[in-house]
Amino acid sequence: MTVGPTLKQQVLPQHVAIIMDGNGRWAERRGKPRVWGHKKGVEAVRRSVSFCRELGIPSLTLFAFSSENWRRPEEEVSTLMQLFLLVLQKEVKALHKNDIRLKIIGDLSAFSPSLVQSIRKAEALTADNKAMTLNIAANYGGRWDIVAASKQLAQQVQQGTLQVSEINEALFAQQVQMAEQPELDLLIRTGGDLRISNFLLWQAAYAELWFTDTLWPDFDQQVFSDAIATFVNRERRFGCTGAQIRELAAENKG
Ligand code: IPE
Ligand code: IPE
Ligand code: MG
């Protein structure tokens, strides 16, 4: 099958976000501890980043740790933190080589100084990369994001540089995370649950929502391309297939 003349880069979503859910269940079904699922989930992250990069999607945002995930057993939280640090240190070179800018969104004040330092270093190294931005949401909450934006504006009012009457949606939108990137087009959740779990509340206002029962460690090009094809068909009514999306990625890869 060849890609028709109508299926081009510009019909693809410009910003995709994923709630990467189902690691624990994936492991439990195999009689392994939950953390095993998180480790396997890293491979799915790698696959998803590569696929977006091949497709030329400029922004990908992954929900890695929510502000509510601190409530999990201490051992799981600490494994997740260690894994995050390890992956950050291990993968940043590959991201840089592929011209990918890394950004961590979330409240970093709760993280250990060594993790924060690692994050800042990785962001600085990749800051000028242009092909794609990978946002990792860590200790992120949609409500935190909105509150932080409100505080920014309140501060400007307090300083006398902003009038309350000047506050509107456009101005507010400039204060939330990823304001400098394309608007969120497609929000995917794996793991079968139909909820947002306090992810991108402001940014998802007009995003297409796509849910799959696939557990995160099983998320691959096949599933991802189905999500993108659904987006293209809902938005632009092109009637393309997942296979065509994969073909487009392969073509770009050269
Ligand atoms: C999502 O997988 C990953 C994180 C929250 C870090 P879960 O750990 O929530 O897996 P399930 O939903 O319990 O299967
Ligand atoms: C959402 O998954 C958070 C991440 C994927 C990081 P959860 O498993 O934490 O969400 P709930 O608890 O089912 O809402
Ligand atoms: Mg879960």
Side-chain angles (χ1 to χ4, degrees), residues 21-22 25 72:
D21 197 21
R25 279 165 285 165
R72 294 191 177 200

Side-chain angles (χ1 to χ4, degrees), residues 20-25 34 69 72 189 193 195:
M20 311 184 288
D21 197 21
N23 292 346
R25 279 165 285 165
R34 290 175 55 83
N69 287 149
R72 294 191 177 200
R189 182 177 186 137
D193 285 317
R195 57 176 174 266

